Amino acid sequence: MLENKDTSKTSISDLGEFGLIDHLTKNFKISQKSTVKGIGDDAAVLSSDSTKEIVVTTDLLVEGVHFDLSYMPLKHLGYKAVVVNLSDVYAMNAEATQITVSIGVSNRFPVEALEELYEGIHTAAKYYNIDVVGGDTTSSKTGLIISVTAIGSVNKGEAVYRDTAKENDLLVVSGDLGAAYLGLQVLEREKKVFEVNPQSQPDLDNYTYLIERQLKPEARKDISELLKELEVKPTSMIDISDGLSSEILHICKQSKVGCNLYEDKIPLDQQVISTCEEFKLDSTTIALSGGEDYELLFTVSMEDFPKIKANPNLSIIGHITNEKEGIHLITRGNEKIPLIARGWNSLDSNQE
Ligand code: ADP
Ligand code: MG
């Protein structure tokens, strides 16, 4: 589908590099006050406010490693490439303001394919109210490479780090976990069925939420806004890109604390529970090790418990302990199991 043999498609060389950039970015509008100069010069110019600190983060996505174009529509890929970066900005308690987008692209992609990619980038930029202020474009011999850099700002001293969780703090997570990983499993399964029988029509009705979480994740811009409204400042925060257990370990190791995580408190969507049953997977393992959920994991002081306890967006899943007590999962059966980077029951050994 992406092969550039169809003569109705436009080859990148027809436009040239400058023509291509102009073409792809012509609909991008500047909306942030801090953007002085966007795309078009040697560098973008941003203004800074002395009351703020600037947050910068980058992610690199490589075809065949981070995404598979056989089930990832380019529009969704563009959207997701932006979202994964914004999630890191929001995890610093900052507001995202600008991004740059760099692509390495082989001539197997026609201009129309890149238009789709940029449509996704444009949709995300509008939805999250950020400006696309630059990037770079280069050729690639094989697959597609996308790198997004996101810039954000936060009031001085209000950035929230990973290494500042304190003993007795509550461990809190937004949304629910495990769905994006299962969405990928469903898509991989359908891809295999399709390879054997291209006539097959997948019935994905039971997996809509899972597939949406994999193909069109959202970043939790709302959580730092919600916490401000509730007048809660998290003591530490991280986004969940690699699975709950690995992010808990980051917070605990960097903060030099321990943690008890309660299995029965881990938030799971009904589709996660039913699909785990169908795939004979353990839902706790998936939540702990699946990854790509882009939820926020944070700690708050015990005093803030009344402010967050009834909030439907937030689940209190554990508490921080002394470093000497270690990092544990307390199971439904009240067993205490050390948490390891890939969960207490490695996904690999579970699957193979
Ligand atoms: P330079 O030769 O100085 O690197 P380029 O020709 O690569 O400049 O880029 C020209 C302008 O277009 C710059 O503002 C750059 O940031 C922007 N730009 C280049 N590639 C992209 C891209 N893939 N997406 C968005 N903006 C881009
Ligand atoms: Mg350049």
Side-chain angles (χ1 to χ4, degrees), residues 72-80 116-117 119-121 123:
M72 184 74 166
L74 280 157
K75 196 175 155 184
H76 286 78
L77 178 63
Y79 194 90
K80 186 168 174 175
E116 274 181 52
L117 180 76
E119 209 182 305
I121 293 170
T123 305

Side-chain angles (χ1 to χ4, degrees), residues 150-193:
I151 296 162
S153 87
V154 58
N155 286 335
K156 266 196 177 143
E158 285 183 15
V160 176
Y161 300 97
R162 298 175 174 189
D163 62 354
T164 40
K166 298 279 177 300
E167 199 175 332
N168 298 323
D169 283 351
L170 300 171
L171 184 69
V172 186
V173 70
S174 64
D176 54 69
L177 300 175
Y181 176 83
L182 289 176
L184 183 63
Q185 301 313 302
V186 170
L187 290 166
E188 298 263 11
R189 181 177 72 177
E190 292 311 320
K191 183 183 169 183
K192 285 199 190 106
V193 173

Side-chain angles (χ1 to χ4, degrees), residues 196-315:
V196 176
N197 176 14
Q199 256 65 54
S200 70
Q201 281 296 320
D203 179 6
L204 299 174
D205 286 356
N206 292 333
Y207 315 108
T208 47
Y209 178 64
L210 310 181
I211 290 169
E212 189 179 325
R213 294 281 282 178
Q214 172 58 225
L215 294 184
K216 194 173 177 288
E218 300 292 355
R220 297 307 303 253
K221 180 184 184 172
D222 57 320
I223 296 298
S224 68
E225 292 164 0
L226 172 71
L227 292 175
K228 274 189 197 96
E229 263 168 50
L230 297 173
E231 296 178 7
V232 173
K233 186 180 176 200
T235 54
S236 70
M237 186 150 61
I238 191 167
D239 81 322
I240 305 186
S241 45
D242 296 334
L244 180 63
S245 60
S246 117
E247 314 302 357
I248 290 178
L249 288 168
H250 283 309
I251 287 191
C252 289
K253 297 219 157 124
Q254 294 193 27
S255 302
K256 300 193 169 52
V257 293
C259 174
N260 285 333
L261 166 69
Y262 292 87
E263 182 180 22
D264 62 339
K265 305 287 185 210
I266 297 175
L268 303 173
D269 185 81
Q270 192 49 48
Q271 279 188 9
V272 167
I273 296 167
S274 60
T275 307
C276 277
E277 277 169 17
E278 185 193 335
F279 281 64
K280 302 205 167 29
L281 292 167
D282 177 67
S283 58
T284 303
T285 306
I286 300 306
L288 288 175
S289 305
E292 293 202 285
D293 291 314
Y294 303 107
E295 294 296 340
L296 294 178
L297 175 72
F298 54 94
T299 52
V300 300
S301 155
M302 193 91 105
E303 288 157 30
D304 289 328
F305 174 68
K307 297 184 192 161
I308 59 166
K309 65 173 184 199
N311 198 291
N313 290 294
L314 305 176
S315 304

Side-chain angles (χ1 to χ4, degrees), residues 17 21 135-137:
E17 186 192 327
I21 298 166
D136 201 19
T137 308

